Amino acid sequence: MDLPRSFVIREGDLRILNPFDADKLATLGRAVKLAPGTSILDLCSGKGELLCTWARDHGVVGTGVDISSAFTAAARQRAAELGVAERVRFVHGDAAHHPVGEPVDVAACVGATWIGGGVAGTLEILDRQLRPGGMALVGEPYWRIDPPDQVTVLGCHASTRDDFRDLPGLVGLFAELGWDLVEMVLADQDSWDRYAAAHWLNLRRWLDDNPDDPLADELRRELTEDPVRHVRYGREYLGWGVFALIRR
């Protein structure tokens, strides 16, 4: 059980594996008014930057779960670097089937709602982990501009226009599912650039060092095609944000 090696290569030394920079992550932590001792379960925790920096800055405690052994190892190293290893722990496992434990104050799934087959299913997973009145954090794409055709949809790594909603539609979905939206922090085009372009440099450095690797042809195609796809489609049409929700 692990992610394909290409994911690890693409993400390289990135600490936040979404179009969210450190300032926006810090803004989110302040916006949801984290108190010392707040317990957090972070499903699909990546390299653990959310838990580690919030443990350092706000005194939270918690657990991160991720299917990538490489990302989990990086998260543990980051916790040690920041001196918060006694406050947070990271588990290599399937976040979609993480067992329900002691209810937590905050349950997060930032940028990986595929674990529940979409927003609705992911909120069900998070709700099972929350104490009454607890907060869910969901990171999700949305259409910033309505895509005019299927070529644009595919250029945004979607299969159909219905894969995402526009921002009012996404906010409306939260309400339909019985959740109050109480905070949000949205990515911007620079956030997308910083995330996407970092991949290109990681890929190029890896290709220079590994020209004969079996993955080289696949990742060379990605590096050739992705910059044009990003500037033509992704950064223009696709938004992304983290939404804080409390069950009604």
Side-chain angles (χ1 to χ4, degrees), residues 6 15 30 39 67 85 96 101 122 154 163 167 199 222:
S6 59
R15 288 176 173 163
R30 293 191 300 269
S39 58
I67 199 170
T122 299
L154 295 174
D163 285 354
L167 185 55
H199 289 164
E222 179 177 336

Side-chain angles (χ1 to χ4, degrees), residues 22-69:
D23 288 341
K24 288 187 180 294
L25 184 61
T27 296
L28 179 64
R30 293 191 300 269
V32 298
K33 298 178 173 60
L34 296 168
T38 297
S39 58
I40 300 178
L41 175 65
D42 188 8
L43 299 179
C44 300
S45 52
K47 296 184 181 179
E49 194 71 358
L50 181 152
L51 272 178
C52 289
T53 57
W54 288 2
R56 177 195 63 193
D57 297 340
H58 302 283
V60 307
V61 298
T63 298
V65 183
D66 200 275
I67 199 170
S68 169
S69 57

Side-chain angles (χ1 to χ4, degrees), residues 6 50 58 60 100 107 125 156 184 187 199-200 236 246:
S6 59
L50 181 152
H58 302 283
V60 307
V100 176
I125 292 172
C156 293
M184 66 181 187
H199 289 164
W200 309 332
E236 296 300 321
I246 299 177

Side-chain angles (χ1 to χ4, degrees), residues 12-210:
D13 59 357
L14 285 172
R15 288 176 173 163
I16 301 173
L17 311 185
N18 287 298
F20 225 46
D21 58 29
D23 288 341
K24 288 187 180 294
L25 184 61
T27 296
L28 179 64
R30 293 191 300 269
V32 298
K33 298 178 173 60
L34 296 168
T38 297
S39 58
I40 300 178
L41 175 65
D42 188 8
L43 299 179
C44 300
S45 52
K47 296 184 181 179
E49 194 71 358
L50 181 152
L51 272 178
C52 289
T53 57
W54 288 2
R56 177 195 63 193
D57 297 340
H58 302 283
V60 307
V61 298
T63 298
V65 183
D66 200 275
I67 199 170
S68 169
S69 57
F71 294 168
T72 302
R76 291 170 180 158
Q77 181 179 356
R78 183 63 168 157
E81 289 173 357
L82 296 186
V84 296
E86 293 184 357
R87 289 184 168 274
V88 297
R89 70 186 186 102
F90 294 95
V91 177
H92 175 231
D94 182 356
H97 299 100
H98 185 68
V100 176
E102 187 73 20
V104 297
D105 300 314
V106 178
C109 180
V110 177
T113 57
W114 52 264
I115 69 169
V119 170
T122 299
L123 281 172
E124 290 180 5
I125 292 172
L126 297 178
D127 196 26
R128 292 196 292 268
Q129 303 283 356
L130 282 172
R131 64 164 178 79
M135 180 182 293
L137 298 178
V138 174
E140 180 70 1
Y142 58 87
W143 292 119
R144 197 173 71 86
I145 300 172
D146 187 46
D149 50 41
Q150 183 65 10
V151 173
T152 303
V153 169
L154 295 174
C156 293
H157 300 286
S159 55
T160 73
R161 182 183 275 101
D162 292 338
D163 285 354
F164 309 128
R165 299 190 177 207
D166 62 11
L167 185 55
L170 180 57
V171 171
L173 175 61
F174 297 143
E176 292 168 17
L177 296 172
W179 295 79
D180 286 325
L181 177 62
V182 297
E183 259 294 359
M184 66 181 187
V185 178
L186 303 182
D188 53 28
Q189 287 174 301
D190 184 64
S191 306
W192 275 114
D193 292 345
R194 297 281 50 75
Y195 183 52
H199 289 164
W200 309 332
L201 183 58
N202 290 337
L203 291 172
R204 177 54 197 259
R205 295 295 189 228
W206 184 87
L207 286 165
D208 288 345
D209 292 339
N210 300 274

